[in-house]
Amino acid sequence: MDVLVLGGGGREHALCWSLERAPSVDRLVCAPGNAGTAEVAENRDVDATDPAAVVALAREVGADLVVIGPEAPLVAGVADALAEAAIPVFGPSAAAARLEGSKAFAKDVMAAAGVATAGSWTGTDPDEAIAALAGFRPPYVVKADGLAAGKGVRICADEAEAAGAIEEAMVEQVFGEAGRRVVLEEFLSGPEVSLFALADGRSARPLVAAQDFKRALDGDGGLNTGGMGAYSPVPAVDEAMVEGLSASALTPVVAELEARGTPYTGVLYAGLVLTSAGVQVLEFNARFGDPEAQVILPRLETDLAELLAACAAGELASAPALSWDERACVTVVLASGGYPGAYETGKPIEGLDEAAAVPGALVFHAGTRRQGGQVLTAGGRVLAVSGRGATIAQARATAYRAADAIHFEGVHRREDIAAAPTGASDPTAAEQA
Ligand code: AMP
Ligand code: GLY
């Protein structure tokens, strides 16, 4: 089949890498892509968030399947436009993607589906919100309902700070429309892990768990980022737990959205907190995680295109069984200096071939572009360097060995990715490897 992938980050390079290896794929096109996707697919300079432009491109290349990587095209209704044009699409409709786009909507769906999640209050009146704080204990969690570029969640030490966060969101409207409605939430304490599932509108099939590292600096310091690294598997989340969560949290959400007339097709990404009282769902996202995709997809042995096409057709039940590489995978993000704040681009990247030559390593591009014979930095997160190995410690050593070979001016990475995997019998064992 001929496949069109939308997006241009590290996740999309991992998707293209996996699809290019899939026996069922004849032709692979990526829009807009990056210097890495250009090595495994045909890049096309088309705006992935423009529904009409995407439909035109899909028609032109005769796509049998369109795979949507990031959330922006989902929110923009690209999946709806493709469905309308009778082009098979992997990715939820704008209505179903509200699971990620509106925290209040996600809470409502979780409540209706009986999913274990933090207790919450939702409303649009600032005075009522401040009064509702009395129903919670510190630390207070104040969330803008809509998408706020990763800045919409405030963890507040006391009631005064929480009231300030409510004022900023609802009265000063620092997040614009996204903060008109707020969600107050019980604070959940414990390690965060991500679990992914494929959904075809009617049913879900769990993939595997991964853990990402959201903060910019070692020891979980600094600002929140899109993710500075990840590893999979997560020792704390075994197969039995994945099956249990599939039945208690993933399948019920797919069933609830089907019952509401907005069936969910695509990746269902559950952000989980492993609390001392059990697993709670923190949030749902409507796509693969980035950089989690860069550790999950290298482990998948099954033909990815067949799986995603089966979801698009509503026939996940008849898709091939999932087969996983038993090896672990760790990815280390190389970012531009200053990210997630201001940073410069256009820096030449050295050592890409040397890194790729490290046995077990895979170099995924994120913010890169090719100019003449050179690959230049073109974004905040520039590369995700993945390593595979028999253990997480060995995969980690491979990822860092490959990352060591790469240089560009101002490069920043964390040194502690997967150093102490959650649930490992000796969480420091990886450090000694
Ligand atoms: P979100 O934008 O929903 O992904 O939240 C960003 C981050 O805020 C999460 O990854 C958590 O680390 C933290 N967070 C959100 N909600 C809670 C909560 N109820 N309890 C504890 N931490 C939370
Ligand atoms: N790595 C977190 C995310 O993709 O949202």
Side-chain angles (χ1 to χ4, degrees):
M1 65 182 109
D2 296 342
V3 182
L4 169 61
V5 174
L6 301 182
R11 163 184 46 216
E12 288 74 35
H13 188 190
L15 283 165
C16 286
W17 174 85
S18 186
L19 289 166
E20 199 262 340
R21 296 155 49 92
S24 68
V25 174
D26 301 309
R27 182 181 177 197
L28 188 58
V29 178
C30 187
N34 58 37
T37 63
E39 288 167 16
V40 285
E42 273 168 63
N43 279 359
R44 297 294 295 269
D45 193 13
V46 168
D47 179 359
T49 63
D50 179 342
V54 169
V55 169
L57 176 62
R59 284 207 174 110
E60 185 210 314
V61 304
D64 301 299
L65 175 67
V66 179
V67 178
I68 303 181
E71 93 223 12
L74 301 172
V75 173
V78 168
D80 305 76
L82 288 162
E84 187 108 327
I87 299 165
V89 54
F90 179 81
S93 66
R98 285 179 70 212
L99 203 54
E100 171 163 359
S102 165
K103 297 188 192 299
F105 178 76
K107 280 299 201 188
D108 188 58
V109 169
M110 284 193 261
V115 173
T117 183
S120 68
W121 178 93
T122 299
T124 52
D125 183 274
D127 294 327
E128 286 178 20
I130 287 168
L133 288 172
F136 294 86
R137 283 180 310 198
Y140 298 91
V141 181
V142 180
K143 300 185 169 186
D145 174 48
L147 294 172
K151 298 189 175 79
V153 176
R154 289 275 302 272
I155 313 286
C156 306
D158 54 39
E159 231 176 292
E161 189 186 340
I166 289 168
E167 296 263 343
E168 278 177 29
M170 302 179 91
V171 182
E172 294 165 32
Q173 305 198 340
V174 294
F175 308 118
E177 189 60 20
R180 214 178 53 79
R181 184 186 305 266
V182 300
V183 176
L184 308 179
E185 215 171 71
E186 178 194 346
F187 181 81
L188 298 175
S189 176
E192 284 180 43
V193 299
S194 312
L195 177 63
F196 299 87
L198 299 177
D200 71 349
R202 295 180 288 188
S203 64
R205 200 190 280 188
L207 300 172
V208 290
Q211 188 163 42
D212 81 336
F213 293 75
K214 291 202 172 80
R215 300 297 196 98
L217 305 177
D218 285 9
D220 291 331
L223 295 172
N224 253 324
T225 71
M228 293 298 295
Y231 66 89
S232 179
V234 182
V237 185
D238 61 16
E239 230 170 283
M241 193 163 167
V242 168
E243 287 305 325
L245 286 164
S246 178
S248 66
L250 304 173
T251 297
V253 162
V254 172
E256 174 65 22
L257 287 170
E258 185 187 18
R260 291 182 182 212
T262 51
Y264 190 97
T265 302
V267 174
L268 191 55
Y269 162 161
L272 309 171
V273 182
L274 311 182
T275 76
S276 54
V279 182
Q280 302 268 324
V281 177
L282 194 61
E283 60 174 356
F284 281 107
N285 293 316
R287 52 184 171 76
F288 272 111
D290 184 344
E292 290 98 319
Q294 292 92 308
V295 293
I296 287 176
L297 295 173
R299 297 186 57 218
L300 180 69
E301 287 171 340
T302 314
D303 184 316
L304 179 64
E306 282 190 9
L307 291 172
L308 304 189
C311 288
E315 292 167 357
L316 184 53
S318 56
L322 294 177
S323 162
W324 296 98
D325 186 334
E326 283 307 314
R327 286 179 297 172
C329 191
V330 172
T331 198
V332 177
V333 168
L334 303 185
S336 296
Y339 172 81
Y343 53 82
E344 292 175 8
T345 60
K347 311 290 184 196
I349 305 171
E350 312 292 342
L352 289 167
D353 292 341
E354 291 82 347
V358 171
L362 293 167
V363 179
F364 294 117
H365 291 229
T368 67
R369 68 187 171 87
R370 185 172 281 280
Q371 187 176 290
Q374 267 186 332
V375 178
L376 305 178
T377 67
R381 291 190 292 174
V382 176
L383 299 160
V385 183
S386 297
R388 292 166 293 184
T391 62
I392 293 173
Q394 285 171 17
R396 172 174 199 269
T398 298
Y400 276 103
R401 194 175 315 131
D404 283 342
I406 298 176
H407 186 75
F408 55 88
E409 191 189 312
V411 56
H412 166 67
R413 70 183 200 198
R414 275 181 65 159
E415 301 299 334
D416 62 347
I417 303 301
T422 299
S425 49
D426 177 1
T428 60
E431 286 284 41
Q432 286 137 29

